[in-house]
Amino acid sequence: MTAMLSLAVAPWQRPPVLLRHADVPHYAASTMKVAVLAAVHRSGLDPDREVPVVNRFPSAAGGTYAHARAEDGDPEPWARLGGTAPLGWLATRMVSHSSNLATSLCQSAVGHAAVAEVWRRAGASAATGSPRGIEDAAARAAGIDNTVTARDLIRLLASLEPEVLARLEHNAHAVDLAAGLPPGTRLASKNGWVDGVRHSAAVVHPPDAPPYALAVCYTGPLANGQDTGDPAARLLARLSARVWACRHRLAEMPT
């Protein structure tokens, strides 16, 4: 497998000051859940609306797909299978514990067009989009895939409402970029990983410097697909630590 590392760093709400292969598309993994979260927020749907918790969804390639319980790291939505759950609660679990089942339920509630509109509004390139569900294997086999670039993840974060960013501050997976920061550092982040892929995007709020956004996408053999003990996760943590060390200079760097 050929390795590709992409990186984008930007003072918050400003153009990037550091780019490395930032426009190369990668499989999105769970970073696409940020766009679904924004679509739920902008839909106007009542967050207390009860959503039937099912495990059968329309495939972007036709037919249906279902999630594998063993592949989902969040057991809480599965405990409600056959019942209902509030839409807002599902959206929170989607990003705080990266629930795949909650993601498809939220995506079904708002529709794929609403998620596409989030990327369009963010100014994402043609290389980025989330046209299928997170585990829609038939669609992926048909060439319908979710992709991101490091630059577009920065654009997406910059387009989010404060309420949406606040949800990302409750990410329970304090690995990747978070692991390269001093303990207790405030950040709004979302990561994603599968075998061969490790990504993370965050808005970091140092107590002694202006906030900045950082996105790193890695595709290659270092990524073992595990939530912990992943060499690629340690690589992202080292990159995060290096950017942190330059935090005072970021706002002064030319764009």
Side-chain angles (χ1 to χ4, degrees), residues 15-55:
V17 296
L18 180 61
L19 297 167
R20 173 190 169 91
H21 303 308
D23 298 311
V24 172
H26 296 253
Y27 171 60
S30 288
T31 59
M32 56 82 71
K33 295 172 183 177
V34 178
V36 179
L37 178 68
V40 171
H41 176 77
R42 295 170 189 173
S43 69
L45 295 173
D46 185 351
D48 295 325
R49 170 188 176 184
E50 290 290 328
V51 174
V53 179
V54 299
N55 187 25

Side-chain angles (χ1 to χ4, degrees), residues 41-128:
H41 176 77
R42 295 170 189 173
S43 69
L45 295 173
D46 185 351
D48 295 325
R49 170 188 176 184
E50 290 290 328
V51 174
V53 179
V54 299
N55 187 25
R56 184 63 58 183
F57 305 96
S59 169
T64 62
Y65 73 95
H67 291 283
R69 190 167 190 163
E71 298 296 320
D72 198 331
D74 185 10
E76 293 299 321
W78 288 93
R80 303 197 183 201
L81 192 63
T84 64
L87 177 62
W89 180 83
L90 290 168
T92 295
R93 301 301 299 192
M94 173 176 63
V95 291
S96 66
H97 291 74
S98 209
S99 168
N100 290 340
L101 181 61
T103 301
S104 288
L105 291 167
C106 288
Q107 216 167 6
S108 294
V110 299
H112 287 282
V115 180
E117 174 60 18
V118 170
W119 288 114
R120 188 205 64 78
R121 180 169 161 183
S125 66
T128 292

Side-chain angles (χ1 to χ4, degrees), residues 181-224:
L181 303 174
T185 300
R186 179 187 167 201
L187 79 161
S189 69
K190 184 71 192 81
N191 31 25
W193 59 85
V194 295
D195 189 20
V197 166
R198 192 89 195 192
H199 309 326
S200 190
V203 181
V204 182
H205 294 267
D208 59 350
Y212 62 89
L214 168 63
V216 183
C217 299
Y218 172 82
T219 299
L222 286 180
N224 63 16

Side-chain angles (χ1 to χ4, degrees), residues 106-241:
C106 288
Q107 216 167 6
S108 294
V110 299
H112 287 282
V115 180
E117 174 60 18
V118 170
W119 288 114
R120 188 205 64 78
R121 180 169 161 183
S125 66
T128 292
S130 14
R132 67 167 176 84
I134 192 76
E135 286 186 56
D136 186 351
R140 188 174 192 186
I144 304 170
D145 218 349
N146 299 329
T147 55
V148 293
T149 70
R151 192 195 300 264
D152 282 344
L153 285 172
I154 293 285
R155 288 168 169 155
L156 177 61
L157 290 174
S159 73
L160 299 178
E161 296 83 357
E163 302 92 331
V164 179
L165 283 168
R167 294 275 191 100
L168 298 181
E169 293 191 26
H170 299 286
N171 186 348
H173 298 283
V175 292
D176 304 322
L177 302 183
L181 303 174
T185 300
R186 179 187 167 201
L187 79 161
S189 69
K190 184 71 192 81
N191 31 25
W193 59 85
V194 295
D195 189 20
V197 166
R198 192 89 195 192
H199 309 326
S200 190
V203 181
V204 182
H205 294 267
D208 59 350
Y212 62 89
L214 168 63
V216 183
C217 299
Y218 172 82
T219 299
L222 286 180
N224 63 16
Q226 302 301 310
D227 56 347
T228 59
D230 184 354
R234 294 194 291 271
L235 171 62
L236 267 62
R238 291 196 298 272
L239 291 170
S240 180

